[in-house]
Amino acid sequence: MTVATLTKTGAPQDLRVRNTRGAAAAGRAESRTKLTLYWLGGTLAALVFLVPLVWSVLRSFQSNDAIVATDPKAGDLFSLTTANFSALFSSDLDILRSVGNSLVVAVGTAVLTAVVATLAGYGFGRFTFRGRNVLFGLVVVTMMVPFQAIITPLYLQMNAMGLTDSRLGLVLFYTTVNLPFGVFVMRNAFETIPAEIEDSARVDGAGTMRALVSVLRPMLIPGMATSALYAFLASWTEFLGALTFLTDDRLYTLPLSLVNLQSGAYGAVNYGYLVAGAVVAMIPCVILYVALQRFYVAGLASGAVKG
């Protein structure tokens, strides 16, 4: 059959249509495969994190006898009670005071870290001075130094300054530990903001603080939220520093009180109380992370792409 004949009968057009439909069908099949793999992977990843979380929450509403039972029955899993939480916040255990101490320390650390990191990031991101890169490199290197390596000299220094057995001392300690990461994030945040915006504010008569607070603040919020959230989570769950700097049990943070529950300082170990305390400890972390996750992701990604 000649080409003229094929054109006349319409066969080449039919072939092109079939090829186009075949390519579209293959594209849809590939998209469905990718979507299936995406949902499958996402579901598995979510289960890895959600199953322990849901299991802990269920256990926190069960009695100690049900938790340590050697022959548990399926029905016991849904035999729930609020007795653990009632006992946890009673005057005997008084976990609420530890929650308050942890909130004061964690919020103070988050605010102080965000403010100091913003000012330091402004210096590193906006000003050129001799040794700037070397100094910033030293700040980055300190992120790799475990705080256990410096906790002894810090304790001696802070004890000499009367800052041990003090919530203020603990805030300063946690700020020191978390500040390098905050400076790293805020320096990247400043470098993503065009200098022309600040120059325009200065031409309009704004000073340094006015430009920071009124002009640059909306663009700095993701970085500041990332620094604050990181510092809050790190100080809320930290144990060794609190154990080192605090001896007065009235100042104990929540991790210290939970360890006392675990070690039986209040009597025999009650795993119902212990799991309920762990659930109380995770509530602020989950709420804050859900509320600020979009800022957290944006802050971590700041500086990754410069246009």
Side-chain angles (χ1 to χ4, degrees), residues 3 43 78 108 142 150 181 209 226 234 236 256 303:
V3 173
T43 302
F78 300 100
T142 58
I150 60 172
F181 177 78
M209 291 306 298
T226 301
W236 177 264
L256 284 183

Side-chain angles (χ1 to χ4, degrees), residues 14-302:
D14 294 342
L15 184 60
R16 283 197 294 270
V17 170
R18 285 198 296 272
N19 289 339
T20 304
R21 289 176 177 173
R28 287 194 295 271
E30 185 179 2
S31 298
R32 283 195 296 270
T33 302
K34 289 181 179 179
L35 188 61
T36 303
L37 292 176
Y38 172 80
W39 281 107
L40 184 61
T43 302
L44 289 176
L47 287 176
V48 169
F49 293 100
L50 285 178
V51 168
L53 186 65
V54 174
W55 185 260
S56 299
V57 172
L58 284 175
R59 285 300 194 186
S60 68
F61 287 98
Q62 295 177 342
S63 65
N64 183 63
D65 294 337
I67 294 175
V68 300
T70 56
D71 54 344
K73 299 177 176 59
D76 294 342
L77 185 63
F78 300 100
S79 177
L80 308 180
T81 174
T82 58
N84 293 329
F85 292 96
S86 299
L88 206 61
F89 292 104
S90 67
S91 56
D92 292 337
L93 300 183
D94 200 12
I95 289 295
L96 194 59
R97 183 174 58 192
S98 301
V99 173
N101 290 333
S102 287
L103 275 178
V104 170
V105 171
V107 172
T109 301
V111 172
L112 188 59
T113 300
V115 171
V116 177
T118 301
L119 297 177
Y122 182 66
F124 281 118
R126 280 289 187 267
F127 296 96
T128 302
F129 52 89
R130 181 176 297 179
R132 182 185 68 163
N133 293 332
V134 174
L135 188 58
F136 182 72
L138 290 175
V139 172
V140 173
V141 167
T142 58
M143 288 195 295
M144 306 172 193
V145 178
F147 78 88
Q148 291 88 346
I150 60 172
I151 196 168
T152 299
L154 271 179
Y155 173 80
L156 295 175
Q157 186 64 38
M158 294 179 69
N159 189 45
M161 297 170 65
L163 290 173
T164 54
D165 262 338
S166 161
R167 286 187 287 257
L168 174 61
L170 207 55
V171 168
L172 294 177
F173 169 68
Y174 288 146
T175 301
T176 302
V177 172
N178 295 302
L179 196 55
F181 177 78
V183 174
F184 175 76
V185 170
M186 292 312 300
R187 190 247 198 179
N188 289 340
F190 274 104
E191 289 196 339
T192 59
I193 301 173
E196 290 78 8
I197 296 177
E198 188 178 353
D199 294 339
S200 299
R202 290 184 181 279
V203 170
D204 291 338
T208 300
M209 291 306 298
R210 179 67 181 276
L212 271 175
V213 174
S214 300
V215 179
L216 301 181
R217 176 177 49 81
M219 292 169 278
L220 295 174
I221 283 179
M224 295 180 69
T226 301
S227 304
L229 182 59
Y230 180 84
F232 181 92
L233 296 180
S235 56
W236 177 264
T237 57
E238 203 282 329
F239 169 74
L240 183 58
L243 180 65
T244 304
F245 288 95
L246 298 178
T247 57
D248 187 349
D249 59 2
R250 294 172 301 177
L251 299 175
Y252 277 4
T253 55
L254 191 53
L256 284 183
S257 295
L258 292 181
V259 169
N260 280 337
L261 283 176
Q262 185 178 16
S263 60
Y266 299 107
V269 178
N270 188 310
Y271 292 99
Y273 297 169
L274 189 61
V275 179
V279 170
V280 171
M282 74 172 70
I283 289 175
C285 301
V286 174
I287 293 175
L288 267 180
Y289 188 78
V290 171
L292 300 178
Q293 62 170 334
R294 62 191 179 98
F295 294 120
Y296 192 71
V297 174
L300 288 177
S302 65

